[in-house]
Amino acid sequence: MHFSIPETEVRSGENGSSYVAYNIHVNGVLHCRVRYSQLLGLHEQIKKEYGSNVVPTFPPKKIFTLTPAEVEQRREQLEKYMQAVRQHPLLGASELFNSFLRKAQQETQQIPTEDAALDICLSNSQKVTVNILTSDQTEDVLDAAAVKLDLPDDLVGYFSLFLVREGADGNLTFVRKLQDFELPYVSITSLQSSDYHIILRKSYWDMAYDGDVMDNRVGLNLLYAQTLSDIERGWILVNKDQQRQLKSLQEKGSKKEFIHLGQTLKYYGYLKFDPCITDFPEKGCQVIVSAGNNELNFHVKLPNEQMKEGSFKVTRMRCWRVTSSQVPVSNGTTNPCNSTKCEVKLELAFEYLMSKDRLQWVTITSQQAIMMSTCLQSMVDELMVKKSGGSIKKMLRRRHNGSIHRSDSQQAVKSPPLLDSPDPSREQIVKLSTKLNSVSLRGISASNSANDISGDDFHGNYAFEGIGDDDL
């Protein structure tokens, strides 16, 4: 998740006095407004709970009223503080930090705690309505949906809630996975648009875990609905013969066999993102990115209109980072964003092992950059657990329960260290090399796949299958 404080506001307090509010954004969207004193209170609580040596530096108090320049300086310092806390493997997952953000979100949106009904969409376009409190956190809403569906408790962690946006053509854009620090009812209500929905989808990548889910009737139905939906929207590619087989199995109601056949198809279990821009193999290329099978898959349209496909394996990524910048809305102006309307530009950049001795940065410019980063992180988490002999069930359940999201192998597999980016305006970098080496992923990363990118360009001549020019 990308935390930023791009702006401040002067607001009136209850006693009529004015104060500076700091607007905390998550993924470029306002999450909450807080005062300096509230963040100072959070800092003091964190320091008391975890010790002064763990807590990032907090901007000091000022005796006199701040000048505009000092307000701007404090905004920058508070932004770095929030980012540092969120990125810390212990503090960022703490209930202390998450509960502060949930309370601040509810207060900002001025939604009182009361009974409410919330629709949870399923992959087959059906929905279940759960009765919750407006102040229920993501875990509570997921549990309520599981109870309504009769999904067993030991399978709840295999699924997550995602915020999606439905386009005019019915296509879904995955905005983000709902987090522990937000209240789903408040998040969806504050968007004030019927285009946004909350959808239930599996939260793991390795199809080997499908067996655990399919052993249960409800789990089987959910996985079948997701597989069928992904095929219908073109995320999973099928030829005519496979289509006939799938239709026959669907008519017979052979759901397990349908899924088993689906597992053999290209891009099964992948999450497909909206068309965006990349600088690989050259700047300004249009690309459709999909995440799955421990890789980011690229369908690229080159400037000469040639189509190529290739994959970047997560185990060959040394590190990645998400950066954001405020850019003016296209109106021909170059004025700074404090004097004109601006939007957030997001980029995902990863350093990739192209060959034995050559690393190269690859950048994707997309409003879904943070969702892509989240996918990469969850892939790495699964690989670490698997290679260290941990239990995927325990990892998923702990992740669902809001505990520190690491497996029982935490001593052997540490959370990724953070490096300072040479560009101070950029987010910190998540380094993977130490993390992956600690669980000996050498055998996995030595991919000989023809589609794996390991040179100056995509290997071979790759044609688009089922994707036309209009999709880019």
Side-chain angles (χ1 to χ4, degrees):
M1 293 294 105
H2 175 73
F3 278 67
S4 63
I5 305 179
E7 58 194 8
T8 60
E9 292 182 35
V10 177
R11 301 180 69 86
S12 298
E14 294 179 357
N15 59 0
S17 62
S18 62
Y19 65 91
V20 176
Y22 297 86
N23 294 348
I24 298 177
H25 287 228
V26 178
N27 295 9
V29 177
L30 177 67
H31 179 81
C32 60
R33 297 185 187 91
V34 294
R35 302 176 68 160
Y36 170 84
S37 58
Q38 291 176 279
L39 291 174
L40 177 60
L42 170 65
H43 173 71
E44 293 296 336
Q45 286 182 290
I46 292 176
K47 190 165 61 173
K48 182 179 179 181
E49 181 74 21
Y50 296 99
S52 301
N53 59 328
V54 176
V55 184
T57 302
F58 191 83
K61 289 182 179 180
K62 300 283 186 179
I63 299 177
F64 302 106
T65 302
L66 272 62
T67 65
E70 289 174 327
V71 170
E72 173 61 16
Q73 182 184 46
R74 177 174 281 181
R75 181 198 64 77
E76 293 176 353
Q77 292 171 337
L78 290 174
E79 181 177 73
K80 290 179 180 178
Y81 176 82
M82 291 297 291
Q83 290 171 352
V85 172
R86 176 58 187 171
Q87 291 168 345
H88 192 283
L90 185 62
L91 305 181
S94 68
E95 178 58 20
L96 187 59
F97 181 65
N98 289 332
S99 62
F100 172 86
L101 289 172
R102 292 194 296 266
K103 182 180 179 182
Q105 182 190 27
Q106 187 176 11
E107 290 177 348
T108 298
Q109 301 301 334
Q110 299 182 332
I111 296 178
T113 298
E114 58 188 10
D115 292 329
L118 182 64
D119 290 336
I120 306 296
C121 299
L122 307 178
S123 296
N124 59 2
S125 299
Q126 295 182 354
K127 63 183 179 182
V128 295
T129 301
V130 295
N131 297 315
I132 59 168
L133 291 175
T134 54
S135 57
D136 279 346
Q137 63 193 54
T138 301
E139 178 188 350
D140 298 327
V141 176
L142 180 57
D143 281 335
V147 169
K148 195 70 177 284
L149 292 167
D150 200 24
L151 183 68
D153 183 68
D154 63 341
L155 291 183
V156 176
Y158 285 78
F159 294 87
S160 292
L161 299 175
F162 294 85
L163 179 66
V164 300
R165 184 177 66 250
E166 184 176 5
D169 56 1
N171 288 331
L172 296 181
T173 295
F174 278 72
V175 178
R176 69 175 185 271
K177 184 166 75 170
L178 295 184
Q179 302 293 312
D180 297 330
F181 58 75
E182 63 184 311
L183 309 176
Y185 181 88
V186 176
S187 293
I188 195 78
T189 302
S190 63
L191 292 170
Q192 298 180 341
S193 172
S194 59
D195 294 337
Y196 289 90
H197 311 284
I198 296 175
I199 191 170
L200 181 72
R201 186 178 173 90
K202 73 176 186 179
S203 58
Y204 58 90
W205 300 100
D206 192 337
M207 70 175 70
Y209 304 122
D210 285 349
D212 296 339
V213 176
M214 289 192 292
D215 284 341
N216 173 264
R217 174 185 57 84
V218 177
L220 173 63
N221 289 337
L222 290 172
L223 192 57
Y224 169 76
Q226 179 176 316
T227 305
L228 179 59
S229 174
D230 288 355
I231 290 173
E232 290 176 343
R233 63 164 57 109
W235 286 17
I236 299 175
L237 299 186
V238 297
N239 57 37
K240 291 183 178 180
D241 182 54
Q242 293 165 338
Q243 198 167 21
R244 283 193 295 268
Q245 296 179 57
L246 289 168
K247 185 177 180 180
S248 175
L249 293 171
Q250 185 179 0
E251 290 172 347
K252 294 177 182 176
S254 303
K255 296 180 181 179
K256 279 191 177 182
E257 291 77 8
F258 186 96
I259 294 171
H260 287 316
L261 179 55
Q263 291 172 334
T264 68
L265 303 177
K266 194 171 185 179
Y267 307 130
Y268 173 83
Y270 281 63
L271 194 65
K272 187 176 179 180
F273 299 97
D274 293 345
C276 52
I277 303 296
T278 182
D279 63 356
F280 188 91
E282 51 187 294
K283 289 185 177 180
C285 289
Q286 298 180 59
V287 62
I288 292 178
V289 180
S290 299
N293 194 29
N294 300 320
E295 68 182 23
L296 289 182
N297 180 269
F298 276 31
H299 283 77
V300 177
K301 177 194 271 187
L302 301 177
N304 63 4
E305 301 299 313
Q306 184 181 5
M307 301 295 189
K308 290 198 173 183
E309 177 193 354
S311 297
F312 294 94
K313 296 292 183 182
V314 68
T315 46
R316 295 175 68 91
M317 295 180 188
R318 191 186 74 87
C319 58
W320 75 79
R321 65 189 173 205
V322 174
T323 63
S324 70
S325 58
Q326 295 278 333
V327 295
V329 174
S330 299
N331 55 7
T333 180
T334 57
N335 291 336
C337 288
N338 57 10
S339 59
T340 187
K341 186 177 181 181
C342 291
E343 60 185 8
V344 176
K345 176 185 176 182
L346 294 173
E347 291 183 341
L348 170 70
F350 55 88
E351 193 174 22
Y352 196 75
L353 185 64
M354 295 292 180
S355 59
K356 184 178 179 180
D357 299 312
R358 189 170 71 89
L359 288 162
Q360 179 178 335
W361 281 97
V362 176
T363 301
I364 304 166
T365 303
S366 168
Q367 290 306 108
Q368 294 175 288
I370 295 158
M371 183 68 190
M372 294 178 191
S373 175
T374 302
C375 291
L376 291 176
Q377 182 62 61
S378 58
M379 289 177 191
V380 171
D381 285 346
E382 277 192 29
L383 286 172
M384 290 197 310
V385 170
K386 190 172 184 179
K387 295 300 293 184
S388 60
S391 168
I392 186 70
K393 284 188 176 182
K394 290 182 179 179
M395 184 194 81
L396 291 169
R397 190 59 199 171
R398 286 187 177 195
R399 181 189 298 162
H400 167 60
N401 284 338
S403 305
I404 300 171
H405 44 279
R406 294 289 179 261
S407 72
D408 287 334
S409 59
Q410 178 142 5
Q411 296 302 316
V413 183
K414 297 181 180 179
S415 56
L418 294 172
L419 302 179
D420 289 329
S421 168
D423 183 347
S425 68
R426 290 183 176 271
E427 289 280 349
Q428 291 179 302
I429 301 173
V430 180
K431 186 179 179 184
L432 299 183
S433 55
T434 303
K435 186 174 186 179
L436 296 176
N437 289 339
S438 68
V439 291
S440 184
L441 292 180
R442 192 174 305 165
I444 295 179
S445 62
S447 171
N448 293 318
S449 168
N451 281 3
D452 186 38
I453 296 171
S454 55
D456 292 336
D457 206 340
F458 295 85
H459 284 288
N461 296 316
Y462 301 100
F464 274 60
E465 298 180 50
I467 300 179
D469 289 6
D470 292 341
D471 292 319
L472 286 169

